[in-house]
Structures are given as structure tokens and as C-alpha cells.
Amino acid sequence: MAIPQYTLNDGTTLPAIGFGTYPLRGTPGVEAMADALAVGYRLLDSAFNYDNEGAVGEAVRRSGLQREEVRVTSKLPGRYHRHDAAVVAIEESVLRTGLDYIDLYLIHWPLPRRGLYVEAWQALIECRERGLVRSIGVSNFLPEHLDTIERETGVVPSVNQVELHPWLPQAELQAYHDAHGIRTEAWAPVGEDSAIRHEPVITAIAQEHGVTPTQVILRWDIQRGVLPLPKSWSPEHRRENIDVFGFELADDEVAAITALGRSQRLFAADPAIHEEF
Ligand SMILES: NC(=O)c1ccc[n+]([C@@H]2O[C@H](COP(=O)([O-])OP(=O)(O)OC[C@H]3O[C@@H](n4cnc5c(N)ncnc54)[C@H](OP(=O)(O)O)[C@@H]3O)[C@@H](O)[C@H]2O)c1
């Protein structure tokens, strides 16, 4: 089944689900990503710090797909927020993929205590103007950080990629995004290896629809307009996770899953203070 597409606020498009690539690296990583493309994924979510941009580029070349058919995301590490360092890091990301351009480039974390994310954002804007990247966005940004870059540069991100799963539905943040034309992407969408997929509410809905709990969670994202990025080493899981366009949750089922929210971050990484470089 064809994957629906979102049009971003800059006119580019993204498929409604993508493939997470951390920590897929080296030859096994290329094989996993190439298989993901073979079974229908068209968006690979990478980052400078995943050390796998080379594997991403190789998987795209191996897929036999036209370059325009695939979307590749990468992200700027905290250590390169200074303007000139950011520009070089983005150039390096593109070189590592061996592709002519990267589709979507994000600031990985805001690191507000360092206070350099506006400089980094300016670098992303310039790299988009140069055609190195087609779309620009952010990750793990809170509304105050989004407000700041819009105020300082006048440019609104196309995407904010945040931790989002049934224990952290991010409904308020998504409402902010919707009001500003920002697409919400979900990292850790299926809750990593936590007990989320064993929540009775989710298993009961899965049984009702004859699908798996993980498929219910991904369908919940899609029906909320959230773009999930499930990662998987397992070929079976990869196939299962993309097979989520043949059933529909009722509104009260979507609401029941959202009601599982308990503001729980699985990794205790609060964007207001978290620093990684
Ligand atoms: N922007 C950020 O700061 C940030 C942070 C973290 C992650 N990310 C991105 O988001 C992606 C996804 O996040 P994530 O990898 O942390 O979490 P995730 O995709 O929620 O969870 C991956 C885990 O779930 C398992 N899994 C996947 N599908 C399954 C299924 N159908 N049934 C049972 N288990 C299943 C995987 O096992 P198998 O591998 O065995 O299938 C793996 O252990 C990353 O790969 C990365 O691209 C971004």
C-alpha cells in the first residue's frame, strides 16, 4: 500500500513513516537499511553522531531507487553549534553519505545552557540556500527554543523530532507545532524495549483489529499526524512496522492510547537541560 505523504511548510514532502537507523552501522547496518528500503520505507533517519551516514548513503545507492524517491535525514551534534563549525559539519555529513544533498537536516539538541542554537540555525538556513540540504528542522526543541529561532531569524523549522510514545504523547507540544506549521516526528515511537507495548489498553485494541500492539502504536501516531521513526534490526519487525496502512483506529481508541500519557521520558533526557555533544 502506498505510504501517504506530508507536505512540509517549505513545500517538500516526507512519507508518513520513516526508518530509525540508530545504532545500525557498518555492513549489517547497510543491509538492514537496504532491506528497509526494499520493503517500502522511503525515509532514513540518521545523525552525524550515529556514525552511519556512510551506511545510509550506501543503502540508498544499493536500493536501486531514484535519489528523489528517498528522503535522508541527518542531525547536527552539540559540539558543532558555532556557525562556522556547523557549516563544516553539514558539508561533512553530505560528503559522508556520498549523496549530492541531504533531504532534511536537524539540530539534534538545543543545549540551551550553551546558548548557541540560533547560530547553528543560521548555518542550517545558509546550507539550505546553498542546496546542501533541502529542508531544515530541529530535534528536542521546546516551544521557547522554537520561539527564539523564529524571532531571531524569521525562519520556522519544517520538523521538530521529539521523544514521543504512549507514555509521552506530547499533545501540547504537537498543538504548538500545528499552530506554527511544524511537522512532529516521533523518536522512540514504539517505546524502545519498555513495557509500553504490553499496556492492556494497547493489547486489547490490537486484538480487536487483529494486528500487533506495535502496529497499534504506530497507527496511533499516524492518525494523530505524527511521523514515527521505528528502528529495527529484525527483518520481521521492519515488515510489521510498515504494515500499518490497512486498518484504522476509532477516535475513542486513539484517545484511550493518548490517555496512557504520564509524562514519562524513557531516557530522562529533558531538553531544557540535556547536553550531548
Ligand atoms: N532525535 C533524537 O534525539 C533521537 C533519539 C533517539 C532516537 N532517535 C531516532 O529515532 C529512532 C527510533 O528510536 P529508538 O530506536 O530509540 O526506539 P524505537 O524505535 O521505539 O524502539 C526500537 C526497539 O524496539 C524494538 N522493536 C521495533 N519494532 C518492534 C516490533 N514490531 N515488535 C517488537 N519490538 C520491536 C527494536 O528491536 P529490534 O531491533 O530487535 O527489532 C528495538 O529494541 C532511532 O533509530 C533514531 O533514528 C532520535
Side-chain angles (χ1 to χ4, degrees):
M1 187 169 291
I3 302 176
Q5 305 284 313
Y6 293 120
T7 299
L8 304 182
N9 62 12
D10 59 6
T12 64
T13 59
L14 286 182
I17 188 168
F19 186 61
T21 73
Y22 181 77
L24 313 179
R25 302 172 59 222
T27 304
V30 173
E31 287 166 357
M33 294 181 217
D35 179 63
L37 293 172
V39 301
Y41 294 88
R42 291 292 179 268
L43 166 61
L44 299 177
D45 181 73
S46 179
F48 195 102
N49 273 351
Y50 299 174
D51 285 330
N52 68 0
E53 290 162 311
V56 168
E58 180 60 17
V60 172
R61 283 186 292 278
R62 268 194 210 179
S63 70
L65 294 164
Q66 298 295 313
R67 175 68 187 87
E68 314 77 62
E69 293 178 84
V70 185
R71 300 285 179 270
V72 170
T73 299
S74 194
K75 312 187 190 83
L76 181 75
R79 65 186 179 282
Y80 295 138
H81 276 197
R82 286 233 175 261
H83 173 273
D84 293 0
V87 170
V88 172
I90 296 166
E91 291 171 347
E92 187 64 30
S93 281
V94 176
L95 289 167
R96 288 177 185 195
T97 62
L99 304 172
D100 291 339
Y101 62 91
I102 287 176
D103 294 277
L104 174 63
Y105 211 89
L106 312 178
I107 300 177
H108 207 147
W109 286 89
L111 282 75
R113 289 187 296 200
R114 292 195 79 211
L116 296 174
Y117 62 81
V118 175
E119 265 191 49
W121 186 239
Q122 194 61 51
L124 265 67
I125 294 168
E126 289 166 24
C127 287
R128 183 176 64 176
E129 284 163 4
R130 286 171 55 196
L132 277 174
V133 302
R134 294 265 163 107
S135 295
I136 54 176
V138 295
S139 179
N140 301 301
F141 271 45
L142 299 172
E144 68 220 57
H145 311 136
L146 295 165
D147 285 339
T148 301
I149 57 174
E150 182 176 359
R151 188 180 62 242
E152 298 288 326
T153 68
V155 179
V156 178
S158 294
V159 162
N160 188 14
Q161 182 184 122
V162 296
E163 181 180 346
L164 191 158
H165 42 69
W167 287 348
L168 187 67
Q170 299 271 27
E172 269 179 43
L173 182 61
Q174 195 192 359
Y176 174 102
H177 290 165
D178 291 349
H180 289 79
I182 300 169
R183 179 61 51 189
T184 307
E185 287 189 338
W187 65 259
V190 301
E192 271 275 347
D193 53 1
S194 73
I196 292 177
R197 67 175 68 83
H198 305 300
E199 284 278 1
V201 166
I202 293 173
T203 54
I205 295 172
Q207 217 165 8
E208 184 69 27
H209 289 271
V211 297
T212 69
T214 305
Q215 288 174 316
V216 167
I217 296 170
L218 293 168
R219 186 70 209 171
W220 167 76
D221 284 321
I222 290 163
Q223 287 187 216
R224 295 173 72 221
V226 170
L227 195 165
L229 301 163
K231 160 266 166 188
S232 186
W233 276 118
S234 145
E236 293 75 28
H237 290 165
R238 287 197 283 272
R239 284 157 180 74
E240 175 185 330
N241 295 349
I242 200 166
D243 183 17
V244 290
F245 298 98
F247 69 103
E248 190 147 358
L249 303 177
D251 290 348
D252 64 329
E253 293 174 324
V254 171
I257 299 169
T258 307
L260 295 173
R262 53 195 207 197
S263 301
Q264 183 169 343
R265 294 184 190 278
L266 295 174
F267 304 95
D270 178 354
I273 51 172
H274 181 75
E275 299 200 322
E276 62 175 56
F277 297 93

